[in-house]
Amino acid sequence: MADLALGEIRYFESIGSTNDYAATWARDGAPECSLVIADEQTAGRGRGARHWFTPPGSALAMSLILRPEVPEESGQIMRITGLGAMGVSRALRQSYRLPAEIKWPNDVLIGGRKVAGVLAEASWIGDQLSAVILGIGINVAPGSVPPDDWAGHHERPFPATSVESALGAPVDRLVLLQIVLAELLSWLPRLSEPNFIQAWREKLAFLGDWVQVITSEADGGEKPPLEGQIINLNGDGSLRVRLRTGELKSLRVGEIHLRPVDSSLK
Ligand code: BT5
């Protein structure tokens, strides 16, 4: 880790959520690129009200504190979400030869199964954006995959896997952590460059496929899904889809979920 340009590092054997800790630490003045990492999370969070399963000894759970120069919330969250998903999928592809893909906006899949999730959140002091917290959870050993009857599943679970199950061999968590961090730090200064979007686009799952687009109501309930074909990733990180009606729509990171339309995952 010594050769990585990180701020401070705080490690916990057990914590509620690394993202919650990082948000508080960011408000208390954590240096740029400080890292919170935990072996176990007892209140790991996904998007909205969802939970993230992080039992001890088997996963990576981390939050990186970033201080973007442009204090514009939505575009930053979108790009930083992409940064997290790209960092994990590139690490898995290049160092482990695994066919990792990004399910826009925030999941990393191997063989159609979720191996990692990203949660980028803004941390505010009053109306000033103080930091963006990039939270990443990676299932490393099979024990980190939530059982189907896990109480934390918010809805019908998307199929999941772990790096070790996909690889068929043990994986050193510290080595994987260093590779992912090196990827994140190498892309961080290039988030506004077209080749960042291009590299992200190349790893997108379901490009050209029909998907269900599930959005949330203001009260947290789900609207009936729309069906759309994924056309492209726009330059700002939003997703271009064509609806059944022919209407083109750009989806922004928010409360949006995609599910493939015609596959066993349905
Ligand atoms: C995510 O949310 O995929 C974002 C997960 C981010 C987790 C990291 S860990 C470090 C940091 N600290 C935190 O508290 N969070 C971040 P979403 O797309 O909303 O997916 C959540 C759904 O994934 C849940 O409803 C579950 O069904 C499922 N799930 C939960 N744990 C899982 C796991 N370990 N592997 C695969 N799927 C899981």
Side-chain angles (χ1 to χ4, degrees), residues 1-22:
M1 307 278 272
D3 53 342
L4 293 171
L6 290 169
E8 283 176 39
I9 302 175
R10 292 191 181 170
Y11 168 78
F12 298 86
E13 260 174 36
S14 184
I15 201 171
S17 152
T18 56
N19 264 34
D20 291 344
Y21 186 94

Side-chain angles (χ1 to χ4, degrees), residues 17-19 41 44-47 50-53 61-63 106-107 114 117-119 135-137 139 144 146 150 153-155 160:
S17 152
T18 56
N19 264 34
Q41 292 186 118
R45 294 188 292 105
R47 294 178 299 159
R50 294 178 188 78
H51 301 286
W52 185 256
F53 185 62
M62 68 179 101
S63 300
N106 70 318
D107 294 342
K114 180 160 170 170
V118 175
L119 180 65
I136 300 180
N139 299 335
S144 56
W150 176 50
H153 282 307
H154 174 268
E155 70 248 298

Side-chain angles (χ1 to χ4, degrees), residues 41-190:
Q41 292 186 118
T42 53
R45 294 188 292 105
R47 294 178 299 159
R50 294 178 188 78
H51 301 286
W52 185 256
F53 185 62
T54 320
S58 57
L60 279 173
M62 68 179 101
S63 300
L64 198 55
I65 298 173
L66 303 175
R67 300 195 185 273
E69 277 162 26
V70 193
E72 181 258 313
E73 192 197 356
S74 149
Q76 291 296 345
I77 295 287
M78 217 141 52
R79 284 206 174 86
I80 289 173
T81 303
L83 171 70
M86 270 259 292
V88 175
S89 65
R90 280 176 67 95
L92 295 177
R93 277 172 176 261
Q94 294 184 348
S95 298
Y96 298 87
R97 302 272 162 244
L98 288 168
E101 296 183 299
I102 299 171
K103 174 170 163 276
W104 189 93
N106 70 318
D107 294 342
V108 179
L109 309 181
I110 299 176
R113 295 176 169 272
K114 180 160 170 170
V115 71
V118 175
L119 180 65
E121 296 179 301
S123 162
W124 298 88
I125 298 179
D127 59 0
Q128 293 277 327
L129 182 68
S130 86
V132 174
I133 310 300
L134 172 56
I136 300 180
I138 308 177
N139 299 335
V140 183
S144 56
V145 173
D148 281 350
D149 63 355
W150 176 50
H153 282 307
H154 174 268
E155 70 248 298
R156 182 165 46 96
F158 195 86
T161 189
S162 66
V163 182
E164 290 189 349
S165 313
L167 197 63
V171 169
D172 185 321
R173 281 190 291 167
L174 196 58
V175 172
L176 176 58
L177 170 67
Q178 285 176 323
I179 298 171
V180 170
L181 288 171
E183 280 292 336
L184 296 175
L185 295 175
S186 82
W187 285 98
L188 189 58
R190 296 183 277 161

